[in-house]
Amino acid sequence: CGVGCLVDVKTRNNKVIELRGVKDASANKGMLCAKGATLGEILELDGRILTPRIRNKRELAFQETTWENAIAEVAGRLRDILDKYGADAVAMYGSGQLDTEGWYLANKLFKAHFGSNHLDSNSRLCMASAVVAYNTTLGSDGPPTCYDDISHSDCIFIAGSNMADAHPVTFQLIRKFRAKNPDHTLIVVDPRYTNTAKSADIYVPVKPGGDIALFHAIAKIIIAREAADTEFVERYTNNFDDYVAMLADYRLEYLAEEAGVELALIEQVADAFIKSENLLSFYCMGLGQSSVGTAKNQALIDLHLLLGQICREGAGPFSLTG
Ligand code: SF4
């Protein structure tokens, strides 16, 4: 998955006989989740479909066929649909498992050849909001952070992610680091009291959809306490006055109500942010999969810019991917 664990694989007679996480890999430090640990099994050929299969009706059993036949069948059926109903009648749904070259060719085929604009992928639900937010706030579409930042942080803020279950290897890195650093602060924002939330020092049960209000409320408190990193803001950001003016449109009490969080708890989070030397944020689909997913991501990245908590070890926004 997007965590990118490295694995050592030993084979004998074309069979996987041992599979382990690479000890010094920064993503997994020797660990693997259940999916990674059983990777060897999916490399086995037993039980895999090795030839194309076709059925002419859904209720019929599949029949094995050759690649030539299968490709001709797909091309013929697409041709029929295009001739009968036009380009808007065909669509393609892909995923991040297609490489750049594969996607390029798929786009050529559907857009240039068929004249259809209906191409989409699971990336829409996964990284699209994060990428647009990075581009519009930082000017570059990748996280400015890496796994080693965990061990340089003194405060980790997790929003919209149940890392303990969904990214267990990364969460183990956090757990292990925190076990050795009892002063480390973990803040978890989630409407559900997840396994991740259970590990938090500060748990924030935000109302579903209340994330932006929460992030803006934190920003207002930071600005009101004159705790923004003004030097960083002046040197490296644009349109700060517009940001402050936008925040001024909302009363703190209103934002707290919209977030569904007690103001005192938001103040506690803002205090932890202000106190932190190195603040690292992890966030995932809870922010991204929303009609305002990009704005949620942006509002969180803006907090890092406001505090100058970026561009050094242990600090910055870190979107998790699927
Ligand atoms: S977290 Fe699990 S699925 Fe993701 S890369 Fe690591 S072992 Fe593979």
Side-chain angles (χ1 to χ4, degrees):
C1 75
V3 173
C5 299
L6 293 189
V7 285
D8 264 334
V9 183
K10 279 192 193 147
T11 60
R12 189 180 296 145
N13 298 331
N14 234 4
K15 294 253 179 215
V16 175
I17 54 164
E18 195 182 304
L19 190 140
R20 289 172 192 276
V22 173
K23 275 215 167 61
D24 56 0
S26 60
N28 55 317
K29 307 265 186 227
M31 295 181 286
L32 292 175
C33 75
K35 192 170 150 192
T38 51
L39 199 59
E41 289 167 32
I42 64 160
L43 297 175
E44 299 287 340
L45 291 183
D46 299 340
R48 295 186 71 170
I49 297 173
L50 301 174
T51 51
R53 294 169 182 213
I54 291 183
R55 58 182 176 186
N56 287 320
K57 284 196 177 138
R58 274 187 216 162
E59 55 276 17
L60 296 178
F62 278 110
Q63 304 291 326
E64 285 194 7
T65 187
T66 61
W67 281 101
E68 288 76 14
N69 278 343
I71 291 168
E73 183 73 24
V74 172
R77 289 196 197 181
L78 279 170
R79 184 73 268 164
D80 285 349
I81 295 167
L82 288 164
D83 289 345
K84 208 163 165 190
Y85 303 106
D88 274 349
V90 292
M92 177 180 159
Y93 194 75
S95 84
Q97 267 58 48
L98 277 173
D99 54 25
T100 307
E101 291 78 6
W103 260 120
Y104 177 84
L105 289 173
N107 271 275
K108 274 267 188 202
L109 180 67
F110 272 74
K111 290 185 178 170
H113 189 59
F114 296 162
S116 167
N117 202 27
H118 303 319
L119 265 103
D120 213 335
S121 76
N122 67 345
S123 318
R124 168 89 51 211
L125 298 172
C126 180
M127 276 300 285
S129 317
V131 165
V132 176
Y134 279 135
N135 266 333
T136 48
T137 51
L138 306 181
S140 171
D141 72 357
T145 38
C146 65
Y147 294 115
D148 284 345
D149 283 319
I150 292 170
S151 55
H152 295 282
S153 68
D154 61 9
C155 179
I156 290 181
F157 182 72
I158 301 176
S161 163
N162 182 10
M163 279 177 86
D165 291 344
H167 293 88
V169 169
T170 310
F171 198 66
Q172 279 305 320
L173 296 179
I174 295 176
R175 265 203 182 120
K176 286 184 178 174
F177 178 68
R178 277 170 52 77
K180 288 190 202 142
N181 295 274
D183 292 337
H184 189 276
T185 305
L186 179 65
I187 305 167
V188 176
V189 177
D190 201 309
R192 301 170 307 147
Y193 191 55
T194 59
N195 284 329
T196 310
K198 285 175 195 159
S199 299
D201 300 305
I202 303 174
Y203 166 55
V204 185
V206 69
K207 203 162 79 177
D211 313 81
I212 295 177
L214 173 68
F215 302 155
H216 284 353
I218 296 169
K220 268 183 93 82
I221 296 168
I222 291 167
I223 292 168
R225 295 199 185 151
E226 298 184 348
D229 185 339
T230 46
E231 202 185 313
F232 180 92
V233 167
E234 261 168 43
R235 211 159 157 198
Y236 298 113
T237 70
N238 299 314
N239 306 322
F240 181 63
D241 292 344
D242 292 346
Y243 178 63
V244 175
M246 179 275 292
L247 292 173
D249 279 345
Y250 302 99
R251 283 182 308 108
L252 203 47
E253 293 72 18
Y254 169 78
L255 290 173
E257 203 182 308
E258 283 296 296
V261 181
E262 296 283 328
L263 192 49
L265 184 55
I266 301 177
E267 280 172 346
Q268 209 185 327
V269 175
D271 282 341
F273 274 33
I274 293 167
K275 210 177 94 196
S276 171
E277 303 255 309
N278 289 316
L279 171 69
L280 189 61
S281 292
F282 285 100
Y283 50 101
C284 196
M285 301 307 133
L287 299 194
Q289 289 191 4
S290 157
S291 55
V292 288
T294 302
K296 287 184 184 184
N297 280 247
Q298 287 165 332
L300 179 49
I301 295 169
D302 283 343
L303 288 174
H304 282 273
L305 295 173
L306 181 64
L307 289 161
Q309 288 279 10
I310 193 165
C311 299
R312 61 166 187 270
E313 284 181 332
F318 196 145
S319 55
L320 294 159
T321 187

Coordinates of all heavy atoms in Angstrom, one line a residue, residues 1 3-5 32-33 35-36 169, ligand 1:
C1 N 0.8 -1.2 0.0 CA 0.0 0.0 0.0 C 0.9 1.2 0.0 O 2.1 1.1 -0.2 CB -0.9 0.0 1.2 SG -0.1 0.4 2.8
V3 N 2.1 3.0 2.2 CA 3.2 3.1 3.3 C 4.5 2.8 2.7 O 5.5 3.4 3.0 CB 2.8 2.1 4.5 CG1 4.0 2.1 5.4 CG2 1.6 2.6 5.1
G4 N 4.6 1.8 1.8 CA 5.8 1.5 1.0 C 6.8 0.7 1.9 O 8.0 1.0 1.8
C5 N 6.4 -0.3 2.6 CA 7.3 -1.1 3.4 C 8.2 -1.8 2.4 O 7.8 -2.2 1.3 CB 6.5 -2.2 4.2 SG 5.4 -1.4 5.4
L32 N 5.8 -5.7 9.2 CA 4.9 -5.8 8.1 C 3.5 -6.0 8.7 O 3.4 -6.5 9.8 CB 5.2 -7.0 7.3 CG 6.5 -7.0 6.5 CD1 6.7 -8.4 5.8 CD2 6.5 -5.9 5.4
C33 N 2.5 -5.5 8.0 CA 1.1 -5.7 8.5 C 0.7 -7.1 7.9 O 1.4 -7.7 7.2 CB 0.2 -4.6 8.0 SG -0.3 -4.7 6.3
K35 N -1.3 -7.9 5.6 CA -1.3 -7.9 4.2 C 0.1 -8.2 3.6 O 0.3 -9.0 2.7 CB -1.9 -6.6 3.7 CG -2.2 -6.6 2.2 CD -3.0 -5.3 1.9 CE -2.8 -4.8 0.5 NZ -3.3 -3.5 0.4
G36 N 1.1 -7.4 4.2 CA 2.4 -7.6 3.7 C 3.0 -8.9 4.1 O 3.7 -9.6 3.3
V169 N 1.5 -0.3 10.4 CA 2.9 -0.3 10.5 C 3.4 1.1 10.9 O 4.2 1.3 11.8 CB 3.5 -0.8 9.1 CG1 5.0 -0.5 9.1 CG2 3.3 -2.2 8.9
Ligands
SF4_1 S1 1.6 -1.4 5.6 FE1 1.2 -3.5 5.0 S2 0.2 -3.3 3.0 FE2 1.2 -1.4 3.4 S3 3.3 -1.6 2.4 FE3 3.4 -2.2 4.6 S4 3.2 -4.4 4.6 FE4 2.4 -3.7 2.7

